[in-house]
Amino acid sequence: MKKAWRTTASLTVAATLLASAVVYTAQAADQEEQSAKGTPRLAGTYELKHPAELGNGIMQGGFSALIHLPNDPKNVFYTTTDRGPNGEIKVGDEKRRTFPLQNFTPSIYKISVEKNAITILETIPLSLPAGNDPITGTRLISGVSNLEGEDEVPYDGEAKTQLAYDPYGLDVEGIAYNPNDDTFWLCDEYRPSLVQVKRDGTIIQRLIPRGEKERFANAPLVPIKDVLPAIYGTRNQNRGFEGVSITPDGKWMFAAVQSPLANPDAKAAKASRVLRIVKIDLKTGKPVAEFAYLTTDAAQLKGVQQYDIVISDLHAINENTLLVDERDKNAGKDAQVKKLFTVNLKSATNVLGTYDEEVNGKTLEQMSESDLKQAKVKVPSKRQVLDLLAYDYPFEKVEGVTMVDSSTVALVNDNDFDIDNTGTTTQLWQFRLPTKLK
């Protein structure tokens, strides 16, 4: 299919600060003034202007994560694709999940930003340590769903032919870096799972919810460890892990589910404000804590359902402080939640393994804010750092967030490969914050 592309208007990139210790440019003076007012400054916008064609007229895109490595130049980042181009086609009364490029391999991209443009420096496809993937027929994995009865049924691009499931398939939504062993960790929506990979994209291991290991007996090429809380197996389809981050010292990893778990059922998930963030000790690879994150109350908004307010990414500033990306499903003038919060975990209740069953007749996901207080569950405190809508942010899916330094934040949107041919582009935005995050 032929894609008709429209380039959205880009905001002007603010010039690079040229201040010395004594003399400040006009730009630096402006930053000082804005910092005094406590207002973040939009420092630059960059666009993937000439995306390569992947096949069938589908162009490169789908950036679903973002990280800046501490020793890299400040204009260099890593991002990932998700499971690849996919859509929904209605056949009779049934909506079918389609994969028009079924051999697409989820990948890590090394990118740079300069002169209003995103440049892809390197493509790192995810691969098995040995053997062949059942979909691609090579060491490269696919993004096709894992398990019959648990995941969406995969179809070809025309929704006519059902595809085989891929037990190695990943729907990657976040990326983290461990400086202690020079590996990446990715988070996946399917199981949900956490996947460790080498810098060349070779998969090392996959962590999944307890009790699911036997279901991967047909996937012996990747070591499976079922160490995550079993309750995560109740995630709704395509609403698993959405963000992952590792503390700068490489000791702790945090991962967040996109939406409330179906605990005890989908009805609870639809109405809940409670999302779970898990903390993992990277020395043992096991969870040590879990926190009940409370999203924005949709009842205070117009035209937004509670289930449509999600966590899209997070960044670990330190063991007790996270930067969390919270958004709704709307774009442009209809959007109401496109915010970054700092989240303090220090005094929050560790609910790991304690609140999976009912307390006072309700599960964690069924509890209101007052119910949580009654159950003595203290949620992490939140402080708004940035409201993207104040800068006319046009995209629905701001899905990757990272810190370049203690006062510079970068974020990238997922344009879903513009599969619907709307002209949605991929852009990376940078902001200078008025205070350092530490």
Side-chain angles (χ1 to χ4, degrees):
M1 56 182 170
K2 188 72 175 175
K3 308 280 280 184
W5 282 82
R6 303 192 301 270
T7 303
T8 58
S10 296
L11 298 175
T12 303
V13 179
T16 304
L17 293 177
L18 299 174
S20 67
V22 180
V23 181
Y24 292 92
T25 64
Q27 290 260 334
D30 179 61
Q31 180 180 329
E32 292 289 333
E33 181 182 352
Q34 292 196 47
S35 295
K37 294 178 181 178
T39 305
R41 181 177 66 86
L42 179 60
T45 62
Y46 308 87
E47 182 174 299
L48 186 62
K49 295 184 177 180
H50 304 290
E53 183 174 347
L54 301 174
N56 296 340
I58 300 172
M59 314 302 284
Q60 218 163 25
F63 292 4
S64 62
L66 193 66
I67 190 172
H68 174 263
L69 273 52
N71 293 325
D72 279 348
K74 289 193 172 184
N75 69 327
V76 173
F77 302 86
Y78 288 85
T79 183
T80 69
T81 67
D82 52 23
R83 57 184 166 180
N86 66 91
E88 275 190 338
I89 294 178
K90 194 168 184 180
V91 179
D93 295 330
E94 177 189 6
K95 283 186 178 179
R96 294 182 173 178
R97 178 62 58 188
T98 60
F99 291 81
L101 300 177
Q102 66 186 69
N103 286 334
F104 177 87
T105 295
S107 300
I108 298 169
Y109 290 139
K110 183 179 182 181
I111 63 173
S112 66
V113 294
E114 191 174 10
K115 297 180 180 178
N116 292 38
I118 298 172
T119 300
I120 297 178
L121 303 176
E122 183 181 3
T123 300
I124 307 168
L126 302 183
S127 64
L128 301 171
N132 292 330
D133 180 90
I135 297 293
T136 68
T138 70
R139 280 183 55 194
L140 303 181
I141 68 166
S142 81
V144 176
S145 31
N146 298 162
L147 301 176
E148 184 177 0
E150 285 288 326
D151 300 326
E152 296 165 306
V153 180
Y155 284 87
D156 67 358
E158 296 180 348
K160 292 180 179 178
T161 303
Q162 183 177 329
L163 305 177
Y165 288 86
D166 186 351
Y168 302 112
L170 295 174
D171 186 0
V172 180
E173 295 292 344
I175 184 170
Y177 174 71
N178 187 351
N180 292 338
D181 60 13
D182 193 35
T183 63
F184 288 118
W185 281 86
L186 312 175
C187 72
D188 152 68
E189 278 197 307
Y190 279 143
R191 295 284 44 85
S193 66
L194 298 170
V195 182
Q196 186 183 23
V197 302
K198 295 179 181 179
R199 288 288 291 268
D200 67 0
T202 303
I203 298 172
I204 298 172
Q205 62 175 328
R206 186 180 188 184
L207 311 185
I208 64 173
R210 290 193 309 272
E212 293 194 357
K213 186 174 182 178
E214 65 275 10
R215 308 179 79 174
F216 286 85
N218 62 337
L221 300 176
V222 170
I224 295 287
K225 296 180 181 178
D226 56 344
V227 296
L228 300 179
I231 194 68
Y232 284 57
T234 67
R235 95 286 175 264
N236 280 289
Q237 285 184 349
N238 204 35
R239 293 286 184 116
F241 283 135
E242 189 74 12
V244 63
S245 188
I246 293 172
T247 53
D249 59 12
K251 291 182 178 179
W252 310 103
M253 179 163 61
F254 293 89
V257 291
Q258 180 183 35
S259 298
L261 302 177
N263 179 31
D265 51 32
K267 181 180 178 181
K270 292 288 185 183
S272 181
R273 292 176 60 194
V274 179
L275 303 185
R276 299 187 185 227
I277 297 176
V278 65
K279 177 183 179 182
I280 294 170
D281 182 345
L282 280 173
K283 184 178 287 188
T284 64
K286 295 180 180 180
V288 294
E290 185 183 48
F291 306 97
Y293 178 93
L294 206 59
T295 58
T296 301
D297 186 358
Q300 308 301 317
L301 306 174
K302 198 177 212 179
V304 177
Q305 300 298 313
Q306 191 64 59
Y307 190 64
D308 293 331
I309 300 177
V310 302
I311 287 178
S312 256
D313 202 4
L314 52 79
H315 175 89
I317 297 169
N318 55 53
E319 182 183 354
N320 296 309
T321 309
L322 307 178
L323 183 66
V324 172
D325 164 20
E326 190 176 316
R327 67 169 178 86
D328 60 17
K329 68 172 293 184
N330 298 330
K333 65 180 182 179
D334 296 322
Q336 296 181 62
V337 182
K338 297 284 184 285
K339 296 181 178 182
L340 300 185
F341 297 95
T342 50
V343 175
N344 191 323
L345 306 174
K346 196 166 188 178
S347 59
T349 303
N350 181 356
V351 300
L352 183 66
T354 308
Y355 290 88
D356 293 348
E357 304 297 330
E358 290 185 358
V359 176
N360 298 330
K362 293 183 178 180
T363 67
L364 197 65
E365 281 69 24
Q366 290 175 310
M367 291 184 187
S368 65
E369 191 169 2
S370 60
D371 292 330
L372 290 167
K373 290 178 181 177
Q374 185 178 352
K376 303 188 184 310
V377 176
K378 189 171 182 180
V379 301
S381 60
K382 295 165 60 177
R383 181 179 70 85
Q384 182 177 306
V385 172
L386 176 64
D387 183 356
L388 289 169
L389 299 183
Y391 301 83
D392 297 323
Y393 192 76
F395 305 112
E396 173 197 348
K397 295 184 176 182
V398 48
E399 291 211 356
V401 173
T402 191
M403 298 296 298
V404 180
D405 55 45
S406 60
S407 59
T408 306
V409 64
L411 50 92
V412 70
N413 73 299
D414 178 2
N415 76 335
D416 287 331
F417 301 87
D418 196 26
I419 193 73
D420 294 325
N421 196 25
T422 62
T424 303
T425 59
T426 297
Q427 293 187 13
L428 185 148
W429 290 31
Q430 284 192 340
F431 289 87
R432 289 286 292 177
L433 303 177
T435 58
K436 293 183 179 181
L437 301 183
K438 54 185 180 179

